[in-house]
Amino acid sequence: MKKDIILAGVGGQGILSIATVIGVAALQEGLFIKQAEVHGMSQRGGDVQSNLRLSSDPIYSDLIAQGAADLIVSLEPMEALRYAAYLNPQSGWIVTNTVPFVNITNYPDMALVEAELHRRPRVIAFDVDAAAKEIASPRSSNMVLLGACAPLLGIDTDKLADGIRRIFAPKGDNIVEANIAAFNHGLNVAKAVIK
């Protein structure tokens, strides 16, 4: 098993929490893991990106080459496009939020962004923020996105849910259950798309 994943978003959206949950679950599966992160200035909505590599065999580099990513997971649609060159053109998936975080004056028209995203053959794109508000809370949008990419990770979903429990346990049972509900909602969205 080998998965090369690029996680992308804007500072403060919870991308690194997604990476942490996946990492905990991967270790429970007995997988090797390497991670490299770029932290933007979260106070200013800076770019946050993580290369996350999982494998049943030892991994020697923490960076993903262009054209090699199995999965781009993004909480912001323009950030998904920023890393599209890294996606494996034959088998790679993009899983992204469709709600922009407009932090620049020349942010492109969303119709153009969505058209560019859907030029790729394997995309799960939906309003993650609305799903989070509907199911749990606005702050759980990252766990909705994690659920949406879960079927593509090659990790048992029960182990991912356990990772959520472990990471959020210090915040109390209500927070844990809200994040599990968000994760399950995203999982159901993905299952409907992937079939």
Side-chain angles (χ1 to χ4, degrees), residues 30-44:
L31 298 173
F32 291 92
I33 181 170
K34 288 263 187 187
Q35 182 177 4
E37 298 171 352
V38 174
H39 300 262
M41 302 241 342
S42 63
Q43 296 85 350
R44 297 188 182 155

Side-chain angles (χ1 to χ4, degrees), residues 46-61:
D47 172 40
V48 174
Q49 180 263 344
S50 178
N51 281 233
L52 187 59
R53 304 190 71 207
L54 313 173
S55 179
S56 50
D57 297 316
I59 303 166
Y60 299 103
S61 172

Side-chain angles (χ1 to χ4, degrees), residues 71-128:
L71 190 56
I72 294 174
V73 179
S74 181
L75 274 161
E76 206 289 326
M78 192 64 210
E79 292 298 322
L81 288 178
R82 179 192 302 250
Y83 297 101
Y86 287 86
L87 193 66
N88 181 320
Q90 282 77 42
S91 60
W93 280 83
I94 294 175
V95 181
T96 187
N97 190 0
T98 56
V99 177
F101 185 96
V102 181
N103 57 352
I104 55 174
T105 56
N106 60 345
Y107 195 98
D109 179 82
M110 265 313 291
L112 296 174
V113 172
E114 287 190 19
E116 186 62 28
L117 278 170
H118 288 288
R119 283 186 50 234
R120 276 79 185 167
R122 291 164 297 282
V123 175
I124 299 172
F126 65 106
D127 186 337
V128 172

